Amino acid sequence: MKFGLGLIELICMTILTASFIFLVVNFAQYTMVTSGGKSQYLYYGGDDTEDVGPVIDYVRRAGVPSDYVPDFLTTTYTKNRIVEFYSPWCPHCRHFKPNYIQVAKNVASKLDIEFHAVSCIANKELCKMQEIHAYPSIKAFEIGSSKGQAVKRSKRGELLIENIVEAFPGVENITNNALSRKHAVKGNKSKSSNIEKYSGKIKRETYSDAESSFLYALSYGIFMDKHPLKSDRFIAFHDWLEFVQSAIPPEWDMMRNVVSHVFDEITIASQGDKELSALVKESVEESVLSKGWSYSCTKGESGMGYTCGLWQLFHILSVGYVERYNEVHGLISMPMAGQRLRNYIEQFFGCEVCRTHFLKTYDACAFNRCSRLSDKPTADPREFALWLWEVHNAVNIRLLIEAGIREDRVISNEEKWSRYWPSKELCNQCWGNKEWPEWNNDEVYLYLKESYWIDPMRDTFVSTKVDKSFVRYFALLISPFLMISLFKLRQRRLKLRLKKWTKIAD
């Protein structure tokens, strides 16, 4: 009996301990995500050695309502100020950061102008009030004003001293003596851009990153003001969801559930942020909402991963359109598929520079889009996936060249070739027999299909669901009963020992 009770106690203690650890770990993970953190900011909480100068990053403290307006955005503020509204995932916001810091240092030391920064991820409601639709957005607020005026920047996206002067005409006389109007204040050399150099990451990570970016976009990209979706924005959202629903693999349960639910309730979803968020939470587990991106997307940089995961989603959809062409093209022709992708980026992608470049590429029929994405009976649906792949490679090369300009160096052809994807090491057949890319499109598409499409016999991860919310509730439910049972078992053992000692004493 003694051994039996001890074994039962051991089992109860093991289950209770496991339940406790599960609850603690999941609560810690959930707390980290929902409470935000330094990853939501660019100027606050960086390296200890980082000097952000006079730039003040607004951090909303715990307990402060999300719609609270800080004093520097009110009419009672008694100083002129420049405010940058940014998103930490936006690569061009990161590139702009050293320029903004240097401008702040040079100007604030001579003029009574403050420089502030607002993260639109940490302060979504505040950015809605200011009607911020692109990142980074720079506004000038004069004394007594709560409505900022957009500040112009150079064609290269730099903030110039003359832009500051134009924003505050009242300080022009001082400026003539203190600063040179024609001087362009450039930042320090920034780190090379986080260009996606693919390393053949496993498909599980690809789909996980795509999920994270899709859900992140629903949370932060659809409603950038307080108004319901109407006209062009409503149509773009409706068409995007329909396209995603049609092109994703049938086995991708999580995405199918959330897209179908939001699409079926699109009238409600289009009313506002709260309504859309409620629909998403009804169809997605908490663990999926809070998982973030893999290292292969973030490259270890806090706040990054969104654009990488979004590209993964675009490639999955383009390959999915090809693989499901026979059942999809009657509803969505190939030109319509391209147009829906374009309209989604135009209406809901916050990075202004990225969005502008993509729209110019698309509208100019670059890479022969107009002839390749055709609805003719002889059209090859693979051209959609191949066209998007070419666009993505062009984006990576453009980012590399821009990084070279910031770092005052010339990019060699060899360095450009090393940025093409897939690399020669990943797909030798794709490159042909030369050291530079001479693409074999048949092989390239096979590589894209292998990388982005689901083989139901092999890729079971997308349909394998572990409902952690159920496990969490079960752990919460069973823990009190285990503790009571353990307490009763301990009491029973004590009684048995007491009875045995009494017999020995007699």
Side-chain angles (χ1 to χ4, degrees), residues 417 424 427-439:
W417 297 335
K424 196 173 180 66
C427 184
N428 185 55
Q429 302 94 318
C430 297
W431 279 56
N433 298 318
K434 298 184 178 181
E435 291 303 314
W436 60 88
E438 192 175 75
W439 300 111

Side-chain angles (χ1 to χ4, degrees), residues 174-244:
I174 303 175
T175 306
N176 286 332
N177 296 323
L179 301 168
S180 168
R181 289 174 60 97
K182 297 299 181 182
H183 177 61
V185 183
K186 298 181 180 181
N188 299 325
K189 294 179 182 180
S190 61
K191 297 179 181 178
S192 296
S193 68
N194 186 21
I195 299 168
E196 296 169 53
K197 187 178 181 181
Y198 291 89
S199 56
K201 67 180 183 177
I202 62 174
K203 199 179 296 183
R204 181 188 300 273
E205 285 187 356
T206 298
Y207 271 75
S208 177
D209 290 334
E211 287 176 358
S212 295
S213 289
F214 179 78
L215 295 172
Y216 190 89
L218 290 182
S219 296
Y220 295 100
I222 305 302
F223 291 96
M224 302 183 78
D225 54 38
K226 290 185 170 294
H227 308 297
L229 299 181
K230 293 182 179 179
S231 60
D232 290 346
R233 288 177 65 80
F234 177 85
I235 294 171
F237 187 48
H238 172 278
D239 290 351
W240 169 247
L241 291 176
E242 188 176 51
F243 174 51
V244 173

Side-chain angles (χ1 to χ4, degrees), residues 118-385:
V118 175
S119 166
C120 290
I121 301 305
N123 304 285
K124 184 164 64 171
E125 294 301 317
L126 193 58
C127 291
K128 286 182 184 179
M129 295 177 190
Q130 289 293 328
E131 298 184 345
I132 303 301
H133 296 99
Y135 310 125
S137 288
I138 316 299
K139 287 190 173 185
F141 293 79
E142 293 188 278
I143 296 173
S145 173
S146 61
K147 265 200 169 183
Q149 300 298 319
V151 177
K152 295 179 182 178
R153 288 185 286 155
S154 72
K155 291 182 179 180
R156 290 175 54 179
E158 295 170 337
L159 185 63
L160 310 180
I161 287 180
E162 62 185 57
N163 302 142
I164 305 295
V165 174
E166 291 172 3
F168 298 108
V171 300
E172 184 169 1
N173 292 333
I174 303 175
T175 306
N176 286 332
N177 296 323
L179 301 168
S180 168
R181 289 174 60 97
K182 297 299 181 182
H183 177 61
V185 183
K186 298 181 180 181
N188 299 325
K189 294 179 182 180
S190 61
K191 297 179 181 178
S192 296
S193 68
N194 186 21
I195 299 168
E196 296 169 53
K197 187 178 181 181
Y198 291 89
S199 56
K201 67 180 183 177
I202 62 174
K203 199 179 296 183
R204 181 188 300 273
E205 285 187 356
T206 298
Y207 271 75
S208 177
D209 290 334
E211 287 176 358
S212 295
S213 289
F214 179 78
L215 295 172
Y216 190 89
L218 290 182
S219 296
Y220 295 100
I222 305 302
F223 291 96
M224 302 183 78
D225 54 38
K226 290 185 170 294
H227 308 297
L229 299 181
K230 293 182 179 179
S231 60
D232 290 346
R233 288 177 65 80
F234 177 85
I235 294 171
F237 187 48
H238 172 278
D239 290 351
W240 169 247
L241 291 176
E242 188 176 51
F243 174 51
V244 173
Q245 191 176 39
S246 302
I248 58 176
E251 300 83 5
W252 200 358
D253 290 340
M254 190 290 298
M255 282 287 287
R256 188 159 298 285
N257 289 340
V258 67
V259 174
S260 297
H261 188 47
V262 175
F263 185 70
D264 291 344
E265 302 291 344
I266 193 165
T267 303
I268 297 173
S270 62
Q271 293 306 303
D273 211 6
K274 292 182 180 179
E275 290 82 358
L276 177 58
S277 296
L279 290 171
V280 172
K281 289 177 181 178
E282 288 173 5
S283 51
V284 182
E285 301 163 9
E286 289 179 2
S287 58
V288 177
L289 286 170
S290 61
K291 66 183 177 178
W293 294 272
S294 69
Y295 180 84
S296 53
C297 255
T298 65
K299 306 297 188 295
E301 291 191 43
S302 178
M304 295 298 284
Y306 172 57
T307 52
C308 168
L310 201 60
W311 272 114
Q312 307 298 2
L313 177 61
F314 292 166
H315 287 301
I316 290 170
L317 295 176
S318 67
V319 173
Y321 182 82
V322 178
E323 295 304 308
R324 302 187 66 186
Y325 183 71
N326 289 335
E327 57 184 296
V328 171
H329 81 281
L331 174 66
I332 303 173
S333 67
M334 191 157 35
M336 287 172 62
Q339 190 68 29
R340 291 186 180 199
L341 177 62
R342 179 217 177 272
N343 292 346
Y344 173 79
I345 292 174
E346 178 186 34
Q347 297 294 341
F348 303 114
F349 191 58
C351 177
E352 183 177 17
V353 177
C354 309
R355 180 176 66 225
T356 300
H357 277 293
F358 184 87
L359 296 180
K360 283 183 177 179
T361 298
Y362 186 93
D363 295 344
C365 290
F367 305 104
N368 298 316
R369 174 191 63 81
C370 293
S371 58
R372 294 171 72 182
L373 306 193
S374 168
D375 56 0
K376 295 180 180 179
T378 57
D380 184 351
R382 295 182 304 169
E383 292 295 343
F384 183 34

Side-chain angles (χ1 to χ4, degrees), residues 493-506:
R493 287 192 66 181
L494 288 173
K495 288 179 180 179
L496 289 173
R497 287 179 181 176
L498 183 60
K499 185 175 181 181
K500 182 177 180 180
W501 292 337
T502 303
K503 285 182 179 180
I504 293 174
D506 292 341

